[in-house]
Amino acid sequence: MSSQFPEARPRRLRRNASLRSLFQETEFSLNDLVLPIFVEEEIDDFVPINSMPGVMRIPESKLAGEIERYARAGIKSVMTFGVSHHLDSSGSDTWNENGLVSRMSRIAKDAVPEMIVMSDTCFCEYTDHGHCGVLHHHEVDNDQTLINLGKQAVAAARAGADVIAPSAAMDGQVQAIRRALDEAGFSQTAIMAYSTKFASALYGPFREAGGSALKGDRKSYQMNPMNRREAVRESLLDEQEGADALMVKPAGAYLDIIRDIREASRLPLSAYQVSGEYAMIKFAAQAGAIDEDRVVRESLGAIKRAGADLIFTYFAMDLALAGI
Ligand code: PBG
Ligand code: ZN
């Protein structure tokens, strides 16, 4: 009964567009996309990010209007990144009730209550040295940073953030944040863990976007891109610590990892198509080498096919405006 050529002719199901769409296995919609945004305090105008054509830093004073515009286009969720003018050695502005982290969530939720606001929870955009935590003898002090992550998470939750998304890559960060949230009465605030985060060169453009002060690298806390077993271990540890959802970051060069984690966990899994992935597509399209719209759709479809439920992508608004 083994059917082979000439009985088997897979081309039968590809003969026209209707057949092809009927038999298409993977799809994405606006329900699956999260738009990361950069919000700068104390500026009046949008600031273009040269390494990410089409992406701008949003002045805080225009954030509410932008959130309304995204909602009208069909965007369901944003992830907030602050560009701070209040840097210090620990990033203490992040847990100030009137600091930028809190204000971004408050403004976004006030503008559009249905918009799901995820608060990127880290310190690198608020520290004068640019690292994702507190320094002690030139090293990022894991456990002191955990205390501060708890404080930042509670401040963001109090300001209305629906989801806390810790990206500092500290050991134990999900457990520390879960405990801090629960103790402060925010047992319903979810944690989207950046559970498998690689020390990737693809974050390059983000450093311009976020105005990062970092000299050096983050290899003592983010993962070695060459490690597959450890990638699964990291996500499973976050699951044990109480994460509500997991993430692989970057996305496109790590489809094997997305598949591994999909098979190892039952939690919702997201993937972050990062700034460098965005820039590679944009600049190649600008040079006329590829068709931007088709490559965007292929790249996001591939990330879903690998096993991601949700995708963080700077292309989300383009797709929303295109009607998906
Ligand atoms: C910082 C952070 C980074 C990104 C998200 N959160 C940069 C880094 O870890 O160096 C990268 C996002 C992107 O490149 O699009 N914790
Ligand atoms: Zn960071």
Side-chain angles (χ1 to χ4, degrees):
M1 269 293 283
S2 87
S3 160
Q4 283 177 15
F5 185 81
E7 294 82 8
R9 291 182 180 273
R11 284 184 57 184
R12 282 184 199 117
L13 304 184
R14 299 179 197 146
R15 289 176 61 213
N16 57 50
S18 303
L19 277 168
R20 288 192 292 274
S21 59
L22 203 53
F23 290 98
Q24 179 166 319
E25 298 177 29
T26 306
E27 251 152 346
F28 60 85
S29 76
L30 292 178
N31 292 334
D32 312 315
L33 304 183
V34 182
L35 175 67
I37 57 172
F38 302 97
V39 181
E40 183 163 0
E41 57 187 355
E42 300 172 350
I43 60 169
D44 295 323
D45 292 312
F46 287 91
V47 179
I49 299 163
N50 296 326
S51 54
M52 300 176 74
V55 179
M56 314 254 237
R57 290 186 188 173
I58 303 162
E60 186 183 347
S61 58
K62 301 202 162 125
L63 176 58
E66 283 294 279
I67 296 287
E68 286 163 7
R69 192 171 69 87
Y70 305 150
R72 277 198 302 276
I75 296 286
K76 308 280 172 71
S77 178
V78 296
M79 164 93 100
T80 54
F81 289 97
V83 182
S84 175
H85 293 196
H86 293 87
L87 311 181
D88 64 18
S89 61
S90 60
S92 66
D93 187 64
T94 57
W95 63 82
N96 173 347
E97 276 187 35
N98 284 313
L100 183 56
V101 169
S102 292
R103 297 198 309 272
M104 291 188 293
S105 282
R106 223 178 279 133
I107 292 168
K109 289 303 286 185
D110 281 351
V112 179
E114 314 78 66
M115 182 69 71
I116 297 304
V117 175
M118 304 199 186
S119 189
D120 180 81
T121 301
C122 197
F123 300 100
C124 45
E125 289 163 291
Y126 300 85
T127 51
D128 47 23
H129 45 72
H131 276 292
C132 300
V134 207
L135 291 183
H136 187 69
H137 298 312
H138 305 289
E139 278 194 38
V140 177
D141 182 332
N142 194 87
D143 297 13
Q144 183 59 44
T145 302
L146 293 185
I147 296 169
N148 296 346
L149 280 166
K151 291 194 280 190
Q152 178 180 166
V154 169
R158 189 164 281 136
D162 301 283
V163 178
I164 302 301
S167 66
M170 295 298 121
D171 293 335
Q173 65 182 7
V174 172
Q175 182 188 77
I177 288 172
R178 187 69 271 157
R179 286 185 181 165
L181 288 171
D182 290 355
E183 272 169 26
F186 295 104
S187 63
Q188 296 305 307
T189 304
I191 300 177
M192 158 74 70
Y194 283 72
S195 51
T196 296
K197 180 171 182 183
F198 294 97
S200 174
L202 291 164
Y203 307 150
F206 177 92
R207 305 267 162 96
E208 179 197 345
S212 172
L214 183 70
K215 295 185 194 73
D217 60 53
R218 307 195 196 286
K219 290 179 187 168
S220 78
Y221 38 106
Q222 298 179 350
M223 266 196 64
N224 182 339
M226 299 300 114
N227 290 0
R228 178 177 172 190
R229 288 193 309 268
E230 187 188 3
V232 177
R233 178 169 187 244
E234 278 281 11
S235 272
L236 292 183
L237 281 171
D238 281 10
E239 171 162 8
Q240 287 160 17
E241 289 181 28
D244 298 287
L246 304 175
M247 188 199 294
V248 173
K249 177 183 175 208
Y254 296 87
L255 299 181
D256 56 332
I257 307 295
I258 294 173
R259 173 52 50 187
D260 283 348
I261 295 172
R262 176 67 293 148
E263 285 171 1
S265 170
R266 297 190 174 172
L267 289 185
L269 176 60
S270 64
Y272 196 139
Q273 185 182 54
V274 301
S275 57
E277 299 178 79
Y278 176 88
M280 289 194 295
I281 294 174
K282 275 282 174 187
F283 286 116
Q286 282 184 1
I290 60 173
D291 177 324
E292 176 176 328
D293 185 61
R294 290 184 57 207
V295 173
V296 168
R297 289 168 193 278
E298 189 173 326
S299 68
L300 297 178
I303 293 163
K304 282 224 88 181
R305 191 198 62 228
D309 304 297
L310 256 67
I311 306 174
F312 293 78
T313 175
Y314 301 99
F315 292 112
M317 190 57 182
D318 292 351
L319 289 162
L321 290 173
I324 205 90

